[in-house]
Amino acid sequence: MIDRADIVIIGGGIQGCSIGYNLAKKGQKNIVILEKETVASGASGRCGAGFRQQFGTEMNCILARESVKIFEQLSDELEYDIELNQRGYLILAYTEKEVEQFQKNVQLEHSLGIPARLITPCEAREIVPVLDTKDVLAATYCPTDGNVNPLLTTFAYAEAAQRMGVKLYQFTEVQKIETNKHNIEAVVTNKGRILTDTVINSAGGYAREIGELAGVEIPVYAQRHQIMVTEPIDPLWVPMLMSFSRNFYFQQLPHGSILGGYGDPENEIIGHNTGSSWQFAVTMAKKMTALIPVLTNVRIVRQWSGSYTMSPDSQPILGEHPQLKGFYMSVGFSGHGFMLAPITGIMLAEYILEGDTPLPIEKLHITRFERGELILEPSVV
Amino acid sequence: MDDNTIICRCEDVTWGEIREQLDKGYTTMDEIKRITRAGMGPCQGKTCQRILLHAIARYLNKKVEEIPLSTFRPPTKPIPLGILAGGQDD
Ligand SMILES: Cc1cc2nc3c(=O)[nH]c(=O)nc-3n(C[C@H](O)[C@H](O)[C@H](O)COP(=O)(O)OP(=O)(O)OC[C@H]3O[C@@H](n4cnc5c(N)ncnc54)[C@H](O)[C@@H]3O)c2cc1C
């Protein structure tokens, strides 16, 4: 293993790989990515990799919109088919409050050039004829939302980064970060020590622990989220189906299988548990069959889980830590970190190498919690 | 075994596709499964897991026991959603 690097990236998930790639693309040399297992073994390889531009805050709409622009040409850019598809997101509203919120969201989205629209339950059924719209008051639909293959996308970034000289060490665990007052001196792993003054913490569910290794506090924690998939069946409907108040998301993938999950913050285990529960499969099956009754005979073949890295306002923390020079964070994505990775990787690379970025990175700075400037995003699961 | 030999029937994955990933440096069962989908179909690897394991071991010139198995994920048998949905809550 090399013993000196200009930038050490901790974590070979979508965040670490996107940042490494974008730094190298901007000409940065001597970058190392350290991954304690294999690339995409964390949340990135376990997620649905859905992307949507339908958010309730301007910042999230802009970041998502910019990410989608990148996704649309990413297979070409990275020379790897990431299985992009834009089958749209249909988000269902079940309460008056939600309808009001969705009206505001759509207005905001329009002002930012995002082609979402508010539709009636009847129109929703035109888009998804097999949908049971019982209790649905309205919906929003954005045809350019979609999903990618999360594993292939992460591998695509990792391989492209390596082609540009980034070194990737798998099965290499960061165990210590040596500092001298407010500067970083070295990163110690189970495979050796690397001298460096710049570290990027993109360790996903382990981001808090990596902060502790460097002696700084990062207010995030890992929370289990479960997901399951059915056997492939003939094409039945097209877009992702989602609801915040009824708490679910599921979609039929181009491959034919149906993938979905829901968030259960009250009952989910905090920590790095990645087991699966029977309760989850039962509840999810109820949600799916209530919405699409013809799914009754479709068989679930696999369930698994991964960690959401939750921050106090469920929004990412991006930027340098105020107490440690050269310690950058790209953490706390709270369940929507895959879709943002193409753009946050660019933002952080620009911020590190050029000192600034045209995108609103300051809003995501860790000091927002002290300043009391939390980001209030109404539209997250 | 040649490049056209089908290793995973459910997902129609050939040895050629798997060998290509091994050549690229993806050598764990989990990585191969994640890229090629081998073992991700309805049978969940019951048929192909052993074949794949032996093929990887042979390619790497290692003993079968030295190849880490891929993560087991429930359920063991595919269950219809309707049966699950009608089931008890715990
Ligand atoms: C069930 C589920 C569904 C989801 N669905 C979506 C979705 O549809 N759309 C979306 O945008 N997001 C979704 N997410 C969220 C998304 O998966 C994450 O936000 C994103 O993958 C985070 O990427 P990451 O690179 O920060 O973390 P990870 O992918 O977890 O990567 C962190 C890496 O750091 C490594 N690491 C940790 N500690 C160390 C150490 N000490 N030394 C070296 N390496 C270390 C880990 O092994 C890991 O590989 C979902 C998440 C889950 C769990």
Side-chain angles (χ1 to χ4, degrees), chain A residues 10-16 34-51 89 172-175 202-206 210 213 225-227 240 249 304-309 330-331 333-340:
Chain A
I10 306 174
I14 190 66
Q15 289 295 329
L34 304 177
E35 166 53 54
K36 73 179 165 74
E37 289 174 41
T38 56
V39 166
S41 58
S44 300
R46 298 160 183 275
C47 76
F51 58 80
Y89 261 53
T172 304
E173 181 176 16
V174 173
Q175 296 173 330
S202 51
Y206 292 87
I210 296 297
L213 294 181
H225 270 252
Q226 302 188 62
I227 188 163
M240 168 75 96
Y249 64 90
W304 68 93
S305 70
S307 293
Y308 273 24
T309 311
S330 183
V331 305
F333 284 86
S334 310
H336 45 284
F338 203 95
M339 63 179 90
L340 295 181

Side-chain angles (χ1 to χ4, degrees), chain A residues 113-129:
Chain A
I114 296 166
R117 56 180 203 266
L118 191 69
I119 59 174
T120 63
C122 218
E123 290 170 305
R125 253 198 324 275
E126 275 164 31
I127 298 169
V128 182

Side-chain angles (χ1 to χ4, degrees), chain A residues 243-320:
Chain A
S243 159
F244 303 114
S245 59
R246 293 274 169 109
N247 190 10
F248 61 76
Y249 64 90
F250 64 99
Q251 97 180 107
Q252 183 170 26
L253 298 169
H255 183 71
S257 42
I258 297 153
L259 177 84
Y262 64 93
D264 192 9
E266 271 105 69
N267 297 308
E268 273 306 10
I269 301 162
I270 291 185
H272 306 294
N273 185 303
T274 49
S276 303
S277 75
W278 176 252
Q279 167 70 58
F280 169 81
V282 168
T283 309
M284 194 61 216
K286 283 186 179 151
K287 289 176 193 263
M288 284 179 171
T289 50
L291 242 77
I292 312 258
V294 293
L295 290 181
T296 325
N297 292 321
V298 179
R299 299 175 305 168
I300 151 181
V301 291
R302 191 164 66 243
Q303 66 176 118
W304 68 93
S305 70
S307 293
Y308 273 24
T309 311
M310 302 302 298
S311 81
D313 59 2
S314 298
Q315 301 301 315
I317 299 173
L318 214 60
E320 194 175 17

Side-chain angles (χ1 to χ4, degrees), chain A residues 53 65 108-115:
Chain A
Q53 303 154 90
R65 182 193 68 196
L108 173 69
E109 286 148 14
H110 271 184
S111 74
L112 298 168
I114 296 166

Side-chain angles (χ1 to χ4, degrees), chain B residues 5-59:
Chain B
T5 309
I6 291 180
I7 301 275
C8 166
R9 284 161 197 243
C10 300
E11 295 285 345
D12 199 14
V13 184
T14 63
W15 167 243
E17 291 167 72
I18 288 163
R19 195 187 39 75
E20 202 178 303
Q21 298 308 323
L22 286 162
D23 288 346
K24 265 182 158 181
Y26 294 105
T27 54
T28 65
M29 291 276 281
D30 269 336
E31 285 170 304
I32 301 250
K33 173 173 122 180
R34 287 171 184 155
I35 301 174
T36 64
R37 306 191 55 86
M40 286 206 186
C43 97
Q44 288 295 293
K46 277 208 195 64
T47 338
C48 65
Q49 176 126 4
R50 285 203 62 74
I51 303 172
L52 186 57
L53 190 64
H54 282 267
I56 294 177
R58 194 170 331 123
Y59 177 94

